[in-house]
Amino acid sequence: VRYPYVTTDSYFRSDNETLNKVWELARYTLEATSLDTYTDSNTRERRPYEADGIIAATSRLLVQRDVLWPRHSHAWVLQYPTWPVEWKLLSAFLGFQDYWNTGRTDLMKSFFDIMVNRTFIGFLNESVGVLNTEGMGRHIVDWMPDGRESDETVQRHEFTASNHMSVTNFLSVRGLSRINEVVPNSKVQSQASSLNSSIYNLMWNRDRFCDGICDEVSNQSLVMSNMFALATGLQPTSNLKEAWTILTSWGLEQMGDYGAFWYQLALSGSYYGGAQSYEVPGDGTEIVNALTKCDTDSWCSGLEQDNLTTTRESWHDGTYSHAWGASPIVGVTFGILGVHPLSPTYLDFEVRPRLGSLRDVQGLVLTLRGMIN
């Protein structure tokens, strides 16, 4: 049942042996767990989940020159969605991932109405101007590091609950704008523009984004809002330092694999956030630390304590074949090597390494047009 995998399509080496082991753990996970679809887990639920699509497929596209593997899974999960609100919100991001790596618009066009509906724009509170997040269903915000299917971000002081949650609104407006970028549509463009204006009017306190409408959450601006604002490219470049400080002061602690993926995007930038998200502060120290630290919430501790060969559902919990734990590929490629596409299929790209304490790195990044070595 193993899907073909070309080992010579990827390479990474640095002078930090822990980083090398973490990268190889992630890379081998993508090799060993690849059926003909991305899955929740080959030993538990062998079906696609949207969150696996954005994490495992984004990572796998950087180490395998195979764009049809994620497209096949995206096409299925778009027809048969899963249960968390945030997972459905990722539908537009899956279409954008496909476009950015293939240069083709057909997946987005084929599932255009579904992707628009999954932005939850139908929950717009027109009298306020932002989405009313109450009644949408189960929210995750981040999957817990202990593997529980619950949202404890409020109890962990990572987020503030309200009826107009920031993270949901961020994913919605970015989904709408990414849909319109691939398949221009005047109604979607208007919806995205209106929601974007309301988010800045109601959720921006002139320094940073609040966890919801600022007046409703007492101006609370905790780590999750700042992380998703950075990762989706919503954070104004003039105020990057404020959000960056909140995020890096918290660090990659008490986050699950889903949160770890967005944490790395926030520190590294990605095509999901647009070119402005590449202008991240720092010299790479923070992303190197996140990938090489060896406390409880780390890949290193999984290698040392659990003797991992593939990543688990969460740091020390759940089954042992969860490819959504393979996000270090993203952190290494976008963050440390600093390879970023400036247009679909890497027709134009930049290389801006951020090495932190590293002295030497070598890497190979796959694109449809060839290899960036």
Side-chain angles (χ1 to χ4, degrees):
V1 297
R2 182 181 294 184
Y3 190 83
Y5 187 96
V6 182
T7 56
T8 55
D9 274 359
S10 59
Y11 179 79
F12 175 77
R13 193 75 185 168
S14 76
D15 59 295
N16 186 302
E17 199 54 38
T18 298
L19 180 61
N20 297 340
K21 290 178 180 178
V22 168
W23 184 86
E24 177 58 20
L25 170 68
R27 187 213 63 79
Y28 181 69
T29 297
L30 296 170
E31 175 184 351
T33 66
S34 291
L35 307 179
D36 62 348
T37 180
Y38 51 77
T39 66
D40 169 79
S41 169
N42 300 344
T43 59
R44 192 178 74 174
E45 291 186 68
R46 282 176 284 184
R47 62 149 292 167
Y49 274 67
E50 297 90 341
D52 300 290
I54 196 169
I55 303 175
T58 298
S59 302
R60 197 175 186 282
L61 284 163
L62 296 172
V63 295
Q64 291 291 281
R65 189 158 51 177
D66 177 4
V67 297
L68 294 183
W69 182 81
R71 171 179 283 204
H72 164 75
S73 302
H74 295 343
W76 197 90
V77 77
L78 286 166
Q79 297 176 80
Y80 302 100
T82 61
W83 53 271
V85 169
E86 288 85 352
W87 281 206
K88 294 187 180 76
L89 281 162
L90 295 176
S91 298
F93 290 79
L94 302 183
F96 193 69
Q97 176 197 91
D98 182 81
Y99 167 69
W100 209 250
N101 285 279
T102 67
R104 298 180 64 90
T105 61
D106 38 333
L107 185 74
M108 188 77 86
K109 287 179 176 177
S110 296
F111 296 96
F112 179 85
D113 291 337
I114 288 175
M115 291 183 187
V116 172
N117 288 337
R118 302 247 172 91
T119 67
F120 285 87
I121 191 61
F123 282 78
L124 180 70
N125 186 333
E126 295 185 1
S127 63
V128 177
V130 296
L131 302 189
N132 187 333
T133 53
E134 184 183 29
M136 286 182 175
R138 280 274 302 280
H139 279 82
I140 288 297
V141 183
D142 177 30
W143 199 274
M144 290 297 98
D146 54 17
R148 279 181 283 182
E149 297 180 357
S150 60
D151 174 22
E152 297 176 10
T153 54
V154 175
Q155 293 94 316
R156 294 171 186 264
H157 306 291
E158 296 173 299
F159 192 64
T160 309
S162 72
N163 290 335
H164 304 91
M165 296 199 293
S166 62
V167 172
T168 303
N169 277 272
F170 294 167
L171 292 174
S172 177
V173 72
R174 264 300 175 248
L176 289 167
S177 63
R178 294 311 181 221
I179 292 170
N180 185 65
E181 184 177 332
V182 180
V183 184
N185 178 280
S186 58
K187 181 179 179 180
V188 172
Q189 182 181 30
S190 176
Q191 289 171 327
S193 177
S194 177
L195 180 56
N196 190 70
S197 295
S198 296
I199 287 172
Y200 278 96
N201 287 336
L202 298 171
M203 297 182 175
W204 177 252
N205 66 10
R206 300 188 180 184
D207 289 315
R208 60 188 68 89
F209 281 106
C210 303
D211 294 348
I213 295 175
C214 292
D215 290 342
E216 290 183 357
V217 296
S218 302
N219 279 306
Q220 287 271 46
S221 177
L222 303 179
V223 62
M224 286 294 163
S225 291
N226 288 278
M227 181 172 78
F228 279 93
L230 286 165
T232 57
L234 284 170
Q235 186 73 19
T237 54
S238 58
N239 295 79
L240 284 177
K241 187 176 180 180
E242 288 83 354
W244 178 269
T245 300
I246 290 173
L247 181 59
T248 55
S249 296
W250 181 277
L252 184 57
E253 312 302 330
Q254 300 185 59
M255 294 185 190
D257 283 328
Y258 177 69
F261 169 77
W262 289 104
Y263 183 85
Q264 290 173 83
L265 291 192
L267 295 188
S268 306
S270 74
Y271 52 82
Y272 295 115
Q276 72 271 23
S277 73
Y278 304 166
E279 303 294 330
V280 294
D283 64 355
T285 297
E286 294 83 3
I287 190 68
V288 172
N289 288 345
L291 291 169
T292 59
K293 70 189 184 76
C294 216
D295 58 15
T296 299
D297 299 335
S298 71
W299 291 277
C300 172
S301 66
L303 288 165
E304 292 190 352
Q305 298 174 28
D306 299 345
N307 196 30
L308 296 184
T309 56
T310 56
T311 51
R312 300 189 69 168
E313 180 180 9
S314 204
W315 302 117
H316 299 283
D317 285 277
T319 51
Y320 287 79
S321 56
H322 282 260
W324 80 337
S327 60
I329 298 296
V330 171
V332 166
T333 304
F334 294 155
I336 294 174
L337 296 177
V339 176
H340 289 287
L342 300 176
S343 57
T345 69
Y346 292 77
L347 178 63
D348 304 290
F349 63 91
E350 72 172 23
V351 182
R352 190 185 300 179
R354 292 184 173 91
L355 304 187
S357 60
L358 303 174
R359 297 183 303 277
D360 177 70
V361 297
Q362 302 172 50
L364 187 66
V365 180
L366 266 291
T367 80
L368 270 186
R369 297 181 179 275
M371 299 179 179
I372 301 170
N373 199 344

